[in-house]
Structures are given as C-alpha cells and as structure tokens.
Amino acid sequence: MRTVLAREMGGCSVLGRIWGVWRRRPGVRAVPKAPGFGTEAGHRLRPRGSSKRSRPLGGQPFPGLLQLENLSREELVDVLRAAVVDQKGPLVTLNKPPGLPVTGKPGELTLFSVLPELSQSLGLGDQELQVVQASGKETSGLVLLSSCPQTASRLQKFFIYSRRAQRPTATYCAVTDGIPATSEGKIQAALKLEHVDGVDLVIPVKSPSRKDFQEGVKRTLSHFHVVAMGSGCALVQLQPLTVFPSQLQVHMVLQLCPVLGDHTYSARVGTVLGQRFLLPAESTKPQRQVPDEALLRHLCLTPSQAAQLPLHLHLHCLHLPGMRPGEAPMKLLAPLPSYFSRTLQCLGLHQQ
C-alpha cells in the first residue's frame, strides 16, 4: 500500500500562485472531512489476512520497531530512505516509525539532525530538506518534508490558516483502552506544560483565568470519531484543530480512554469496581500502562511484553491545497505499522 499524492507538485512557483489564490478566494470551501473506513482510505487501514486471533508472540513482541540507541547516523539515513512513500517535485513524504524524535538537543540523533545526509541520499544535491509537518516522537506516521523553502513556508501558512478557520488537515488513527461514551464529538481542554522531575508533562487546567493564559495555558480542541469497537477497546479517528504537545493523548485520557501504549498519561485513569475515573494530573506520575488480564489475552501478550507496547497513535492522512485553481485538495496517506494492524486483528476492530 503506497501513500498517494493526488496531484504532482510542480515546484515552488506553482504552489505560491495556488496559495495566493486559495487564500483570496472568498467562496473556497473547507477541505473535506477525512473519509470513513468504507472509502479508499478506510480499506487501506484494514488489516490483511485472516480474522482469527494471532498466536502469542515470541521474545521480540513488536518486530520492526526502531531501536534508535543501536543506530548510527548512516543506518538511520537508510531507515528513513526506506520509509519514503512519495517524492514529487519539492515534497518528500515519509512514514515515520515511532520512537524517532523530530528535533532534540545538539548531538542527539534525530530526524532533523540527518536531513543533510537524507537530502544527499535522495539525490537533491544542495537542496536540503526541511520539516513542514511531522508527528511526535512516539507517534508513527506522516512526515512532510520540502526541499524548497518557499514551498515549506507557504504550506506552513496553509496549516496555520486552516487551524484558525477550524478546518482539520490531519487525521490520526488511535487504538484506545476503553470505548468513548459517545461515537463522535469534540474534546476541549485548557492545557499547560510543566517540568516535573526532569520531564515535561501536559497538565489540564480547569477554569483557567486570564493570568493562566498569559503564563502559557492554551485552549485546545480535537474532533474524534469512533470507527470500530471490540474487546473493550476502540479504533478512533482523531483530528486536532490546535497544536499542543501530547494533545491527543491527553484528550483521550480526559475521555477515560487512554491510547494503547501510552506510558506517560494513561496512569491518570483509575478504576474502582469497574468504574473509571480521573486521578489528579498534578500528582500522578507517569508509569507503564498496565492492560487488564482480558486485554492481555486478546492481545496475546505477557505483562512484560505489554510494558513494551508502542503508542498506537498514527498520523494517517494529511490534506494539502490543490496545485491549481479549481483542483481538488491533495491527500497524503501513510499505511499503518505492522504492530498496529496486528492489534486491530487481535481485538477484532474491523469495519462495522
């Protein structure tokens, strides 16, 4: 399954003209909502093979995950080159594995740190790639790069303009431990970033004051849509309309349905006599997610293997403006990681 770039990029000047026309046109319509699983995008997400439960995994429960600490710069460039799913004009699209940070401290191995070598490896010469849009460190999925600074700048303005207009451009897929109370809706929360015990953590703020907003509290908003339910879990499409670190993970915790493999915020959801409730975010330290025995059986995992569960949050789809006036928006798609597809199969999360 390939990521699809619906229209070929024609270079910086073409996109510049389109951006100007798109922004000026008063009658332009919102980018269509990401399609459901009955459409082309949906069929791409469905796991292949038999619907029977997978057998228990061996010593390596999630083969193919990136072991960043064991990679050299050259090996990481090879991994990223193999992860390229589309290259048209100045745009390069990657399907990023989880665990790879986009940026970091000087000397750390990150996507940003190897962009010069990746540019050379892809035959771009002196046209060095820069990041336009990317998923977070533990999130898998689309990374949009551009070798043209003007194209990158205009696309970044497009994303900013879309957020201001509350027009979603990104669709994530998540598997949640628990099923949201409603099949779809909006999640709104004021969030702040705090440095706790050497770690940056996102904390919800109830009834924030004007002073809170002056000190860094942000209003955040996401759309969610439950696509499938099974084995006490759900497959959920998430569309963030604001940008904040770990926004989608924290939003799902507020729904009492943490993302599977969330070893940072899932501890904030407690359970007593089968009833879930929120624990105080300020005093609840991060810890490994502990699925219950029934979920472990469905996933065919031991407790020690479950402690290594990768975050089941994948940036699956990005919408970009069309290349010429009147053309339909472009749609970039990234296939699910193999461990994600296996989880869907184990939980019976198929198209309803």
Side-chain angles (χ1 to χ4, degrees), residues 11-13 15-16 19 90 130 146-157:
C12 297
S13 59
L15 187 58
W19 164 249
Q130 56 184 295
S146 175
S147 60
C148 172
Q150 291 81 6
T151 298
S153 176
R154 288 161 185 148
L155 282 174
Q156 287 163 351
K157 290 177 181 178

Side-chain angles (χ1 to χ4, degrees), residues 95 139-142 171-174 312-316 334-337 340:
N95 192 4
T139 306
S140 61
L142 288 167
T171 300
Y172 290 75
C173 297
H312 282 56
L313 183 63
H314 179 77
L315 178 49
H316 170 65
L336 295 174
F340 200 121

Side-chain angles (χ1 to χ4, degrees), residues 17-337:
R17 293 196 297 272
I18 300 313
W19 164 249
V21 173
W22 180 89
R23 190 174 184 183
R24 290 193 300 269
R25 289 175 63 196
V28 70
R29 300 187 65 182
V31 175
K33 184 178 179 180
F37 277 37
T39 64
E40 174 191 7
H43 291 299
R44 291 170 181 270
L45 284 168
R46 295 180 64 186
R48 298 180 180 178
S50 170
S51 60
K52 296 180 180 179
R53 301 284 187 228
S54 298
R55 294 180 179 180
L57 296 170
Q60 173 53 267
F62 309 105
L65 288 184
L66 190 65
Q67 302 295 324
L68 193 61
E69 63 276 8
N70 299 327
L71 289 182
S72 66
R73 292 180 65 89
E74 293 77 13
E75 290 170 332
L76 179 56
V77 171
D78 290 340
V79 169
L80 293 176
R81 183 174 181 178
V84 172
V85 287
D86 207 284
Q87 184 175 356
K88 296 285 178 64
L91 293 187
V92 174
T93 308
L94 305 177
N95 192 4
K96 185 183 82 67
L100 175 63
V102 177
T103 60
K105 298 177 182 178
E108 290 183 345
L109 197 58
T110 64
L111 170 65
F112 185 80
S113 71
V114 298
L115 284 181
E117 293 98 319
L118 181 61
S119 303
Q120 291 292 329
S121 177
L122 295 175
L124 298 175
D126 296 332
Q127 297 177 308
E128 187 172 315
L129 291 166
Q130 56 184 295
V131 178
V132 179
Q133 184 88 336
S135 51
K137 176 183 177 181
E138 300 302 334
T139 306
S140 61
L142 288 167
V143 171
L144 182 61
L145 308 172
S146 175
S147 60
C148 172
Q150 291 81 6
T151 298
S153 176
R154 288 161 185 148
L155 282 174
Q156 287 163 351
K157 290 177 181 178
F158 162 76
F159 289 126
I160 293 172
Y161 189 86
S162 297
R163 286 196 296 271
R164 289 175 179 171
Q166 294 198 347
R167 185 167 33 234
T169 57
T171 300
Y172 290 75
C173 297
V175 176
T176 61
D177 179 2
I179 300 172
T182 59
S183 61
E184 61 181 11
K186 295 181 180 180
I187 307 171
Q188 301 182 68
L191 303 178
K192 66 178 178 179
L193 199 60
E194 284 194 357
H195 198 69
V196 181
D197 296 333
V199 179
D200 288 330
L201 295 176
V202 178
I203 307 293
V205 179
K206 294 182 179 180
S207 304
S209 65
R210 179 178 299 179
K211 182 180 179 181
D212 289 329
F213 290 115
Q214 292 173 346
E215 294 177 350
V217 174
K218 301 293 184 184
R219 300 185 196 274
T220 61
L221 173 64
S222 301
H223 289 166
F224 73 93
H225 172 66
V226 177
V227 175
M229 299 176 288
S231 306
C233 296
L235 174 60
V236 183
Q237 286 183 339
L238 296 166
Q239 294 180 315
L241 291 173
T242 52
V243 176
F244 200 86
S246 303
Q247 173 178 316
L248 296 178
Q249 291 168 250
V250 175
H251 278 186
M252 293 316 297
V253 164
L254 294 176
Q255 299 296 301
L256 302 178
C257 299
V259 177
L260 194 64
D262 181 354
H263 302 297
T264 302
Y265 299 103
S266 62
R268 296 177 182 179
V269 178
T271 305
V272 173
L273 299 176
Q275 298 297 314
R276 296 190 174 194
F277 61 95
L278 285 175
L279 294 168
E282 295 83 358
S283 58
T284 304
K285 294 184 178 181
Q287 63 182 23
R288 289 285 173 182
Q289 190 178 43
V290 183
D292 61 29
E293 292 184 5
L295 182 52
L296 287 177
R297 286 196 301 270
H298 284 296
L299 294 174
C300 302
L301 296 176
T302 65
S304 60
Q305 289 172 334
Q308 304 173 51
L309 264 171
L311 184 68
H312 282 56
L313 183 63
H314 179 77
L315 178 49
H316 170 65
C317 179
L318 278 175
H319 287 280
L320 303 181
M323 288 308 303
R324 293 177 177 81
E327 284 190 346
M330 296 181 293
K331 182 171 66 176
L332 303 174
L333 300 174
L336 295 174

